[in-house]
Amino acid sequence: MHFLGIDASTQSLTAVLCRVEGDTKLTRVWQHSIALDTLNMGTQNGVIHGPDGSATTPSLVFIAALDRVLALLKKECPDTVERIVAVSGCGQQHGSVYWGSNAASLIAEMNPDVEMKEQLKDAFAISNGPIWMDSSSTKWCQRLERDLGGPQAVANLTGSRAYERFTINQVAKLIDTHPNEFKNVSRISLVSSLLTTIFARRFVGIDESDATGMNALDLKSKTWSADVLRSVGGAVVKNPESTLANLLGPVATPYLPVDNICSYFVERYGFSPKCKVVPFTGDNPSTLAGLGISAAGDLAVSLGTSDTAFAVVAKSACKPSGIEGHVLLNPVDPDTFIAMLCFKNGSLAREQIRDKHANGEWTDFNSMLSKTEPGNNGYVGFFHPEPEITPPTSKPEQIHIFDANSDAPISIATVAPEIQIRAIIEQHALRLKHHTQILGVSEVKRILVSGGASANFEILRVLSNVFGVPVYETVGGSTAAAAYGGILRAQHAMACEAEGGMYVPFQPDIQVRLVVEPDSAAHGVYLGALERFEKLEGVVVAL
């Protein structure tokens, strides 16, 4: 028995094949990625940039990449494809797809003897859909917030304030700027539901979790918000509540199969006709599933170019913010939310201080870090080589350090290198603690880390001490975690279906390794420092 997971990301489409060992244990047997730029559709790093801050990707490129990767799967694992019992995966969040009036018939009539890109090249009313990098819809974000009563009102309703990259604001822009093309749209998908639709050979709704990355879904009712749709339709769309709701279609339950795989994939690639299709979701929720984050109290931290945190939060505790972060429905647990934060200044900021003060060597960096005590004798630093997004700052190349006796920045030239080194590591851990609490993450029981800096034990020691919980890493790493999340979700959906469609707890068989446990004395120091950190962060934002 095998499961297939697929991740349609910004630059590539990745497929991962796993075999079930025993009852639930999964073993990876095959993995391959297709770079979107190799498909000759005008993309550069998977994107087509416009002059006004727009960023789009041809919808057809994901379909072409899917055919390409499945052809390789058939060639390299010819006896395995028929053993795949379910397929799922994810797409880059926020990316949208606009099907034309003839799309439903073109999809339903796909011929297994011809590649999909040839059959579906005329299936789109708008051929290039905006993606998460697009920043051209500020005007429509402002309109949505104005119509609904401000950014906090939008966040309370949909999980996030109005963001330019969120899909419904892109839809509003297209309605106003491309009305003739929009009149021909018969259905709106995300990249995730595009893939579900292709595998099922019929329109399938956007799954509940990815839908919460659109500024359109009511978090409580799990239906499209009539207030949002009225604002988006403006004076152009008649009866926008019903018209746009029909274009978006009903949302899909993320933990149940929607159909068997269609005959195109059975006849062209050798899938079993009994293979189930499970709704694809967004890449961030899928990554959370792929790391095994499953219950309230779990916190996933990715220490990469940007630092990202995902937490599972009880619905009663979650607090959407009109300033920062996002709240998403959890695709593997209908009773919890996902709180998500992103900090722009991550590894590059740490590396800048390393290169300046530690000869560019992490061993020297860690040695200098160990010479200082938790709490840094009251020194607090804020290191922003780039304008930060959490919380928002406007100026680049900003470094501010405060000593124990000052509420105003002091000259960095007076601060010893080892103090600066501890200051940036403590800042990055304390900001995670502070801002996750803003979103309602009041109790963390364990942290699971990934990303390049997760290999640095001393950084993880500070993280553990700030939160007062143990830090773990996945055994074997987290390569292709988003696609792997599709596999785990497909496996989970089969378990739910076996129970008559009833939800069963998501309990993936993922092995984790303890990296470090907290020191109680150090944790006490950081608890005492948190209030001052919050105050000084406010000072920096105002500078």
Side-chain angles (χ1 to χ4, degrees), residues 289 342 375 440 455:
C342 185

Side-chain angles (χ1 to χ4, degrees), residues 166-494:
F166 276 42
T167 315
I168 207 65
N169 305 306
Q170 299 290 346
V171 172
K173 176 192 170 187
L174 288 171
I175 288 172
D176 286 353
T177 61
H178 293 77
N180 293 331
E181 292 93 332
F182 196 84
K183 287 178 182 177
N184 296 321
V185 174
S186 65
R187 186 70 173 236
I188 299 172
S189 294
L190 298 185
V191 175
S192 58
S193 59
L194 159 72
L195 294 170
T196 317
T197 291
I198 291 299
F199 275 113
R201 205 161 69 174
R202 63 177 177 83
F203 286 138
V204 178
I206 300 163
D207 95 288
E208 294 173 355
S209 183
D210 210 8
T212 44
M214 297 175 66
N215 274 147
L217 195 76
D218 185 323
L219 275 177
K220 295 179 180 178
S221 68
K222 300 181 182 180
T223 58
W224 304 116
S225 166
D227 290 339
V228 170
L229 299 187
R230 276 193 295 270
S231 174
V232 169
V236 178
V237 177
K238 295 181 179 179
N239 303 316
E241 302 99 309
S242 58
T243 301
L244 292 177
N246 288 335
L247 291 180
L248 292 166
V251 294
T253 301
Y255 54 84
L256 289 175
V258 294
D259 212 333
N260 290 349
I261 200 167
C262 74
S263 59
Y264 177 89
F265 299 97
V266 174
E267 297 178 26
R268 187 174 181 87
Y269 297 114
F271 282 84
S272 165
K274 296 180 180 180
C275 176
K276 298 293 183 180
V277 179
V278 176
F280 284 56
T281 190
D283 54 357
N284 287 311
S286 192
T287 296
L288 181 138
L291 292 173
I293 302 298
S294 57
D298 285 344
L299 176 67
V301 176
S302 175
L303 300 171
T305 303
S306 59
D307 288 350
T308 305
F310 306 92
V312 177
V313 187
K315 288 185 176 180
S316 59
C318 202
K319 297 182 290 188
S321 170
I323 300 174
E324 62 189 49
H326 314 290
V327 173
L328 309 173
L329 291 171
N330 189 345
V332 294
D333 184 355
D335 294 325
T336 61
F337 288 138
I338 298 170
M340 177 182 164
L341 286 164
C342 185
F343 302 89
K344 189 173 185 179
N345 292 286
S347 285
L348 295 181
R350 290 185 288 267
E351 290 165 6
Q352 186 180 84
I353 296 299
R354 178 203 63 186
D355 295 346
K356 182 177 180 180
H357 295 304
N359 304 312
E361 297 291 337
W362 285 116
T363 52
D364 294 347
F365 183 96
N366 291 342
S367 176
M368 296 173 74
L369 177 63
S370 66
K371 292 178 180 179
T372 53
E373 295 295 325
N376 213 11
N377 289 320
Y379 284 91
V380 178
F382 297 88
F383 298 79
H384 298 150
E386 297 290 336
E388 186 51 71
I389 57 177
T390 307
T393 63
S394 59
K395 298 176 182 179
E397 297 297 333
Q398 296 291 303
I399 297 177
H400 302 288
I401 291 188
F402 303 78
D403 64 20
N405 303 310
S406 175
D407 289 341
I410 63 174
S411 171
I412 193 171
T414 67
V415 181
E418 61 268 23
I419 296 293
Q420 294 185 43
I421 284 172
R422 178 165 288 276
I424 191 171
I425 300 305
E426 290 188 342
Q427 178 215 351
H428 289 182
L430 286 165
R431 70 183 181 183
L432 280 170
K433 176 75 171 176
H434 170 50
H435 290 281
T436 52
Q437 287 180 334
I438 290 175
L439 292 181
V441 185
S442 57
E443 183 182 10
V444 175
K445 296 178 181 177
R446 66 170 184 168
I447 296 173
L448 189 67
V449 293
S450 63
S454 66
N456 190 313
F457 177 81
E458 294 300 330
I459 292 176
L460 301 186
R461 187 204 298 274
V462 174
L463 185 65
S464 176
N465 288 339
V466 166
F467 279 86
V469 300
V471 172
Y472 297 85
E473 63 181 359
T474 56
V475 175
S478 55
T479 304
Y484 190 61
I487 287 173
L488 293 175
R489 290 184 51 253
Q491 188 180 33
H492 177 237
M494 296 296 284

